[in-house]
Amino acid sequence: MGSNSFLLSPILSDVSADLGTTPVVVARVISAFGAATALSSFLFGGMIDRFGERTVLVIGAIVITLALAGCAVSRSWQWLALCQTFIGLAVGVMLPSVYAAATKNAPKGGEAAVLGRVISGWGIALVAGVPFSALLSDLAGWRAPFAALSLFALVSGFGFSMLPKLRTKTHVEPPKSPASALRTPGVIPLLVACLAYMTAFYGIYAFLGDHLRSILGLSASKVGFVVLGYGAGFGLAGFADSTVDLLGPRRVLPTVLMLISGIYLALIPATQNYITSIGIAVVWGFINHIGVNIIILLLSRCDPAARGALMGLHTAVTYLSVFLGPLLLGMLYSIGFGAMALAAAGMLFAAALIAHGMIANDVENL
């Protein structure tokens, strides 16, 4: 899931050239994936609490295996978008399943540390999956990474089938749907902050590779090393998760969001040089890991009995951002990368204000 989510950015130029279109048009494929994931999470997130995590993960892995194979044989950006839509429908319930299982089985007071280990899977995907895919694209064409990911998804499906039944109790009442979980106190402010946070991230990330290739003349594999730097920072931040538990995630969140706002501003000069691009990517990944962890953790604490539905809401908002980010910030990309970065910094500043307001009004009950 992680490798597929981030794969297109480093190879956007190659895909658009082969399919006879532009990078901005191919970025709509990312938007299609994000929209499908968001819709699936919102409509079907309640299935996690009803059927259990293992069932959801096995079925999702089968769908992703077939859809990734479809990506590998795409002859148009529309077909590629259709395949990514099916992947999004599966990811929409698989990802909250993973988060729900992690937070449900974590010891009290150690949720951030346990969740951080799971979130580090995204770092592994970025450190290993995306650079490997970019290198494979340079060697064998952009279709090869999708074929390889299809095989990995198949293997994952067999692994999921051997998991124990992770559902720990039978619900006397029907489990909450994501729509009903919206009424839980504190959920809406967190989701609004998450929307701003993730829209900025996915908008910048979608075009970062093309920006670096156009101004620095880099190959896909060299852009992959910038992604590797982000992933390395993302993974290293796992060591800071226990500190978040000690300080209190609610108090830390506004500071983290302000730091990311500053990073987006720093991307404007940093991306003028290859080494500084890698350096800022490491810092970006480190801080982003902490921010993602805190938002998921705070949402899961809003109503422990409805973790599946709440994680479905989180995934819905996150992947609505995958749709909105490339679409909205892509309009600014025609003006320049600097315009995108300024808009992203403004979004994070707004998210920080929302998080600060949550503290001031004592919305969360931690």
Side-chain angles (χ1 to χ4, degrees), residues 26-36 319 322-327:
V26 175
R28 295 174 187 167
V29 173
I30 305 174
S31 293
F33 166 73
Y319 284 90
V322 177
F323 169 74
L324 291 175
L327 186 66

Short mmCIF file of all heavy atoms in Angstrom, two decimals, residues 26-36 319 322-327:
data_model
loop_
_atom_site.label_atom_id
_atom_site.label_comp_id
_atom_site.label_asym_id
_atom_site.label_seq_id
_atom_site.Cartn_x
_atom_site.Cartn_y
_atom_site.Cartn_z
N VAL A 26 -1.41 12.93 -15.82
CA VAL A 26 -1.15 11.65 -15.16
C VAL A 26 -1.32 11.78 -13.65
O VAL A 26 -1.67 10.82 -12.97
CB VAL A 26 0.27 11.13 -15.51
CG1 VAL A 26 0.61 9.87 -14.73
CG2 VAL A 26 0.36 10.84 -17.00
N ALA A 27 -1.08 12.98 -13.11
CA ALA A 27 -1.30 13.18 -11.68
C ALA A 27 -2.76 12.95 -11.30
O ALA A 27 -3.06 12.69 -10.13
CB ALA A 27 -0.87 14.60 -11.28
N ARG A 28 -3.66 13.01 -12.28
CA ARG A 28 -5.06 12.69 -12.00
C ARG A 28 -5.24 11.23 -11.60
O ARG A 28 -6.23 10.87 -10.96
CB ARG A 28 -5.93 13.01 -13.22
CG ARG A 28 -5.98 14.50 -13.56
CD ARG A 28 -6.73 14.73 -14.86
NE ARG A 28 -6.63 16.14 -15.28
CZ ARG A 28 -6.95 16.59 -16.47
NH1 ARG A 28 -7.42 15.73 -17.39
NH2 ARG A 28 -6.83 17.85 -16.77
N VAL A 29 -4.30 10.39 -12.02
CA VAL A 29 -4.33 8.99 -11.60
C VAL A 29 -4.19 8.91 -10.08
O VAL A 29 -4.87 8.12 -9.42
CB VAL A 29 -3.20 8.20 -12.29
CG1 VAL A 29 -3.11 6.78 -11.73
CG2 VAL A 29 -3.42 8.16 -13.80
N ILE A 30 -3.29 9.73 -9.52
CA ILE A 30 -3.12 9.79 -8.06
C ILE A 30 -4.43 10.26 -7.43
O ILE A 30 -4.86 9.74 -6.39
CB ILE A 30 -1.96 10.72 -7.68
CG1 ILE A 30 -0.67 10.29 -8.38
CG2 ILE A 30 -1.76 10.75 -6.17
CD1 ILE A 30 0.50 11.24 -8.17
N SER A 31 -5.06 11.24 -8.06
CA SER A 31 -6.32 11.75 -7.54
C SER A 31 -7.41 10.67 -7.57
O SER A 31 -8.22 10.57 -6.64
CB SER A 31 -6.77 12.97 -8.35
OG SER A 31 -5.89 14.05 -8.15
N ALA A 32 -7.44 9.86 -8.63
CA ALA A 32 -8.43 8.78 -8.72
C ALA A 32 -8.23 7.77 -7.60
O ALA A 32 -9.20 7.32 -6.98
CB ALA A 32 -8.34 8.10 -10.08
N PHE A 33 -6.99 7.42 -7.34
CA PHE A 33 -6.67 6.50 -6.25
C PHE A 33 -7.13 7.09 -4.92
O PHE A 33 -7.76 6.42 -4.09
CB PHE A 33 -5.15 6.25 -6.23
CG PHE A 33 -4.65 5.59 -4.97
CD1 PHE A 33 -4.91 4.26 -4.71
CD2 PHE A 33 -3.91 6.32 -4.04
CE1 PHE A 33 -4.44 3.65 -3.54
CE2 PHE A 33 -3.44 5.73 -2.89
CZ PHE A 33 -3.71 4.39 -2.64
N GLY A 34 -6.84 8.36 -4.70
CA GLY A 34 -7.21 9.01 -3.45
C GLY A 34 -8.71 9.11 -3.26
O GLY A 34 -9.22 8.85 -2.16
N ALA A 35 -9.43 9.47 -4.32
CA ALA A 35 -10.88 9.60 -4.22
C ALA A 35 -11.53 8.26 -3.90
O ALA A 35 -12.44 8.16 -3.07
CB ALA A 35 -11.45 10.17 -5.51
N ALA A 36 -11.06 7.18 -4.56
CA ALA A 36 -11.62 5.85 -4.31
C ALA A 36 -11.34 5.38 -2.89
O ALA A 36 -12.20 4.77 -2.24
CB ALA A 36 -11.04 4.86 -5.32
N TYR A 319 -7.23 10.21 2.17
CA TYR A 319 -7.21 9.94 0.74
C TYR A 319 -8.14 10.86 -0.06
O TYR A 319 -8.00 10.96 -1.28
CB TYR A 319 -7.47 8.46 0.48
CG TYR A 319 -6.23 7.68 0.80
CD1 TYR A 319 -6.00 7.19 2.07
CD2 TYR A 319 -5.23 7.52 -0.15
CE1 TYR A 319 -4.83 6.52 2.40
CE2 TYR A 319 -4.06 6.85 0.16
CZ TYR A 319 -3.86 6.36 1.43
OH TYR A 319 -2.70 5.71 1.72
N VAL A 322 -5.47 12.94 -0.97
CA VAL A 322 -4.71 12.43 -2.12
C VAL A 322 -5.38 12.89 -3.42
O VAL A 322 -4.71 13.15 -4.42
CB VAL A 322 -4.62 10.89 -2.07
CG1 VAL A 322 -3.91 10.35 -3.30
CG2 VAL A 322 -3.89 10.44 -0.82
N PHE A 323 -6.71 12.99 -3.38
CA PHE A 323 -7.45 13.51 -4.54
C PHE A 323 -7.29 15.02 -4.67
O PHE A 323 -6.99 15.55 -5.74
CB PHE A 323 -8.92 13.13 -4.40
CG PHE A 323 -9.83 13.81 -5.39
CD1 PHE A 323 -9.86 13.42 -6.71
CD2 PHE A 323 -10.66 14.86 -4.99
CE1 PHE A 323 -10.70 14.05 -7.63
CE2 PHE A 323 -11.50 15.48 -5.89
CZ PHE A 323 -11.52 15.08 -7.22
N LEU A 324 -7.48 15.73 -3.55
CA LEU A 324 -7.47 17.19 -3.60
C LEU A 324 -6.08 17.78 -3.79
O LEU A 324 -5.92 18.79 -4.47
CB LEU A 324 -8.09 17.75 -2.31
CG LEU A 324 -9.58 17.54 -2.10
CD1 LEU A 324 -9.99 18.04 -0.72
CD2 LEU A 324 -10.38 18.24 -3.19
N GLY A 325 -5.07 17.15 -3.17
CA GLY A 325 -3.72 17.71 -3.21
C GLY A 325 -3.20 17.92 -4.62
O GLY A 325 -2.88 19.06 -5.02
N PRO A 326 -3.07 16.84 -5.42
CA PRO A 326 -2.59 17.03 -6.80
C PRO A 326 -3.52 17.90 -7.64
O PRO A 326 -3.06 18.64 -8.52
CB PRO A 326 -2.55 15.60 -7.34
CG PRO A 326 -2.45 14.72 -6.14
CD PRO A 326 -3.24 15.42 -5.08
N LEU A 327 -4.84 17.83 -7.37
CA LEU A 327 -5.79 18.60 -8.16
C LEU A 327 -5.66 20.09 -7.88
O LEU A 327 -5.51 20.91 -8.81
CB LEU A 327 -7.21 18.12 -7.85
CG LEU A 327 -8.33 18.71 -8.70
CD1 LEU A 327 -8.19 18.26 -10.15
CD2 LEU A 327 -9.68 18.31 -8.14
#
